[in-house]
Amino acid sequence: MFESTVPLPHYLMLSATLFVIGIVGVLIRRNVIVVFMSIEIMLNAVNISLVAFDHYMNLSSGQIFSFMVMCVAAAEVSVGLAIIIALHRNKPTVNLDEFNLLKW
Amino acid sequence: MEPILAPESIDLIALAPVIVLSVFAMMVLVVDLFGARDKGLLAFISLIGLLMTTISAFAKNPIPAYSFNDSYTVDHLSLFFICIFTISSALAILLSVEYNKREGIRAGEYYALILFCTVGMILLASSSDMIMIFLGVEIVSICLYVLAGIQRDNHRSNEAALKYFLLGAFATGFLLYGMALVYGSTGNTNLFKIADFMQNPSAQSNPLLLMGLVLLIIGFGFKVASVPFHMWAPDVYQGAPTPVTAFMAVGPKAAAFAAFFRVFAETFAAMAPSWEILLSIIAVLSMFFGNLGAIMQTNIKRMLAFSSISHAGYILIAVIAKNSLGSASLLFYMLTYAFTIFGIFGVIIILGRKGEENLEIKCYSGLAYKHPILAISMAIFLLSLGGLPPFAGFIAKFYIFSAAIQEGFIALVIIAVLNSAISFYYYLKVIVYIYMEEPTAEFKVSMSPLTLFVVLVGVAATINIGIFPGSIIALASH
């Protein structure tokens, strides 16, 4: 196994930065698809820290965990897109502010 | 890196309820595929499946037993929770049969989704590993996103599904990041090993771990709809089909609380001082916001959503108490809550017609003059939710409060009792409409035997558990 020269805190910073980018994206963007992408960024940010922890502690469950996260994210994407399509048929828009039948 | 070993302790008997229920859920899908015109057959298969699941849950003996390298636990907590889940799913299916016929929900996968969601809940309540908890949370959530939006041509249902999906997936991100940080600071995903690791005092002050705990609280807080992570609940409760609302108010919430209890009260008990205060704040906020929000609602489903937020606050007190009485009171509360909530939603469904669901509270004016049985059932359920003595809700609240007092959380209990008093305002408001107002219009009830059956079961259980709580308490407090 090759010796990594990038220390753990760098990975954690990268992961935290991506996670915050995801949160900000969810909170300020109004396009459903972009909000959805931001959520995926959050999930993948977590994957980075899981794998980084594994590498530095010589463990393996974090990698298994990250596979599980990917599987679940794929399932979630399919359901999410299906919901967006069903919505789009009734109301052809992707702007979150126009979904206002129920008070937020 | 050491090679990954094959799991030594795969015990499929312990996993029996999950396997049985999954098989039945797939059977529902297959039967639906090969021309089951009558969706009642699917409901019947689902009910049989839930019965079999309950029986197979007791196949493992002696308990506690562990499977899959200690990542799946069979103990009294999980067995009791499995019973709560199967009862609540069965009641949800009984409510759905007539409702779906009326509202034109043809999809046979509706029943399969409820069963798969129940599988997720069982996993969530029985898992003692963070990976399993994550999977359980996601199985439950993904099924619920679809169920909330199952009325594809209804704008409100679509919108509820979208909001639930976006906020639910957002919360999953927090939960997951919390798990990653806890994993990073302890080196384990298994809750028992993490609990061992926590015995070392120097491990407890790791900033990564503390941040992980905060993120876990945010993630679970979203799933149980506690303030300040409750924004989705009123919208989703209002927009989702009524039986689905009832279903998600009970089962998934109970499952999330089971995982909440396992992670915080059991695993991180050693570092309770650091999370107790945060959870107490969330509990107090949930009670106040839930009850004050409910006062202002005119739609009964929205009102019940706010009331369920305040109930999440009460139940959090059981998690904070974290003693054996706390776990018993959590179980007892969820069971009584299930019967009461399904009863209320049963009445709501009966009072609706296709297209006009009559969900405004003023639609209930004068119900007592036309349909005295529905009126008295509704009154019993509302008083039980408020916590009036002869009914089950009182014993459940009393039990949670005594668990908290035993651990010395007097201030929390006083706030909770005050909040119970506030909650009577809006519960009684509905009763006043039912009993003291003149009927404004003719009631167009759609009385159906199955829905009425659920209401009567709810009434019987609410009164019976309220007057004779002994046997259930004995079961809950093993």
Side-chain angles (χ1 to χ4, degrees), chain B residues 220-258:
Chain B
F220 280 127
F222 258 105
K223 299 293 174 194
V224 300
S226 56
V227 178
F229 318 110
H230 67 292
M231 314 74 96
W232 60 269
D235 290 350
V236 176
Y237 278 41
Q238 188 188 349
T242 310
V244 175
T245 310
F247 179 64
M248 70 169 91
V250 178
K253 195 173 212 162
F257 269 113

Side-chain angles (χ1 to χ4, degrees), chain B residues 85-131:
Chain B
F85 300 150
T86 49
I87 289 172
S88 70
S89 304
L91 292 176
I93 286 168
L94 287 173
L95 281 187
S96 309
V97 177
E98 298 291 338
Y99 182 87
N100 287 1
K101 212 179 274 173
R102 187 174 95 202
E103 301 290 328
I105 301 173
R106 294 264 167 67
E109 59 268 28
Y110 179 94
Y111 299 105
L113 281 169
I114 286 191
L115 294 192
F116 279 125
C117 191
T118 313
V119 171
M121 297 192 282
I122 294 175
L123 275 181
L124 194 49
S126 320
S127 55
S128 44
D129 190 288
M130 289 196 294
I131 300 179

Side-chain angles (χ1 to χ4, degrees), chain B residues 20-347:
Chain B
V20 169
L21 196 52
S22 306
V23 168
F24 268 95
M26 286 182 265
M27 197 150 95
V28 168
L29 282 180
V30 173
V31 171
D32 181 42
L33 181 65
F34 292 108
R37 281 230 115 120
D38 183 16
K39 301 300 177 202
L41 175 65
L42 300 180
F44 182 70
I45 297 175
S46 314
L47 289 176
I48 300 283
L50 289 168
L51 182 67
M52 294 307 219
T53 309
T54 319
I55 295 169
S56 65
F58 295 94
K60 189 66 196 168
N61 218 353
I63 51 176
Y66 307 95
S67 182
F68 288 94
N69 280 330
D70 293 352
S71 63
Y72 185 92
T73 308
V74 185
D75 56 8
H76 284 292
L77 190 73
S78 70
L79 282 185
F80 202 99
F81 264 116
I82 289 174
C83 295
I84 295 177
F85 300 150
T86 49
I87 289 172
S88 70
S89 304
L91 292 176
I93 286 168
L94 287 173
L95 281 187
S96 309
V97 177
E98 298 291 338
Y99 182 87
N100 287 1
K101 212 179 274 173
R102 187 174 95 202
E103 301 290 328
I105 301 173
R106 294 264 167 67
E109 59 268 28
Y110 179 94
Y111 299 105
L113 281 169
I114 286 191
L115 294 192
F116 279 125
C117 191
T118 313
V119 171
M121 297 192 282
I122 294 175
L123 275 181
L124 194 49
S126 320
S127 55
S128 44
D129 190 288
M130 289 196 294
I131 300 179
M132 292 273 283
I133 290 180
F134 171 68
L135 286 178
V137 166
E138 282 306 291
I139 295 172
V140 171
S141 305
I142 289 176
C143 292
L144 283 182
Y145 304 150
V146 183
L147 281 172
I150 198 118
Q151 283 178 298
R152 274 195 308 179
D153 42 8
N154 180 329
H155 288 262
R156 285 176 198 276
S157 178
N158 287 162
E159 203 174 305
L162 180 76
K163 286 176 176 173
Y164 195 19
F165 170 73
L166 288 180
L167 290 175
F170 189 50
T172 302
F174 284 100
L175 186 69
L176 199 55
Y177 202 34
M179 286 178 176
L181 291 183
V182 170
Y183 171 65
S185 46
T186 60
N188 268 306
T189 56
N190 190 295
L191 295 184
F192 301 120
K193 288 183 186 144
I194 293 176
D196 284 343
F197 191 82
M198 283 300 117
Q199 298 307 319
N200 176 4
S202 68
Q204 294 179 13
S205 55
N206 187 342
L208 269 188
L209 181 64
L210 293 176
M211 227 174 94
L213 283 188
V214 173
L215 289 169
L216 279 180
I217 290 178
I218 296 177
F220 280 127
F222 258 105
K223 299 293 174 194
V224 300
S226 56
V227 178
F229 318 110
H230 67 292
M231 314 74 96
W232 60 269
D235 290 350
V236 176
Y237 278 41
Q238 188 188 349
T242 310
V244 175
T245 310
F247 179 64
M248 70 169 91
V250 178
K253 195 173 212 162
F257 269 113
F260 216 139
F261 192 86
R262 273 200 204 278
V263 172
F264 283 92
E266 290 183 356
T267 311
F268 291 110
M271 51 191 300
S274 54
W275 53 259
E276 249 167 32
I277 183 75
L278 197 55
L279 277 191
S280 309
I281 293 171
I282 291 179
V284 170
L285 285 179
S286 303
M287 291 186 280
F288 273 113
F289 273 77
N291 283 326
L292 296 177
I295 289 178
M296 288 177 272
Q297 301 307 319
T298 57
N299 180 303
I300 193 145
K301 271 163 95 180
R302 266 187 108 77
M303 188 200 90
L304 286 173
F306 276 100
S307 133
S308 92
I309 293 170
S310 73
H311 282 276
Y314 302 131
I315 304 169
L316 268 179
I317 296 177
V319 178
I320 297 168
K322 71 187 172 304
N323 46 15
S324 59
L325 197 54
S327 75
S329 62
L330 173 66
L331 294 169
F332 188 81
Y333 202 102
M334 286 319 311
L335 187 69
T336 59
Y337 190 64
F339 284 119
T340 319
I341 284 293
F342 277 106
I344 287 195
F345 279 98
V347 176

Side-chain angles (χ1 to χ4, degrees), chain A residues 1 12 15-17 19 22-23 26-27 32 35-36 39 42-43 45-47 49-50 53-55 57-65 68-69 72 75-77 79-81 83-84 86-87 89-91 96 98-104, chain B residues 1-2 4 130-131 134-135 138 141-142 145-146 149 151-156 158-163 165-174 176-177 179-181 183-189 208 215 231 234-236 238-239 297 302:
Chain A
M1 202 170 82
L12 295 186
S15 152
T17 314
F19 193 76
I23 295 176
V26 172
L27 294 180
V32 178
V35 169
F36 194 28
I39 290 171
M42 287 167 68
L43 296 185
V46 176
N47 280 347
S49 44
L50 280 174
F53 280 131
D54 254 13
H55 185 76
M57 295 191 296
N58 262 344
L59 296 169
S60 57
S61 22
Q63 293 168 42
I64 311 283
F65 203 157
M68 295 292 181
V69 174
V72 166
E76 218 169 43
V77 166
V79 167
L81 285 179
I83 289 173
I84 293 175
L87 199 65
R89 284 203 181 128
N90 289 337
K91 191 170 192 174
L96 271 180
E98 290 181 35
F99 300 119
N100 49 14
L101 275 180
L102 310 164
K103 290 171 277 181
W104 267 102
Chain B
M1 190 184 293
E2 66 191 40
I4 299 169
M130 289 196 294
I131 300 179
F134 171 68
L135 286 178
E138 282 306 291
S141 305
I142 289 176
Y145 304 150
V146 183
Q151 283 178 298
R152 274 195 308 179
D153 42 8
N154 180 329
H155 288 262
R156 285 176 198 276
N158 287 162
E159 203 174 305
L162 180 76
K163 286 176 176 173
F165 170 73
L166 288 180
L167 290 175
F170 189 50
T172 302
F174 284 100
L176 199 55
Y177 202 34
M179 286 178 176
L181 291 183
Y183 171 65
S185 46
T186 60
N188 268 306
T189 56
L208 269 188
L215 289 169
M231 314 74 96
D235 290 350
V236 176
Q238 188 188 349
Q297 301 307 319
R302 266 187 108 77

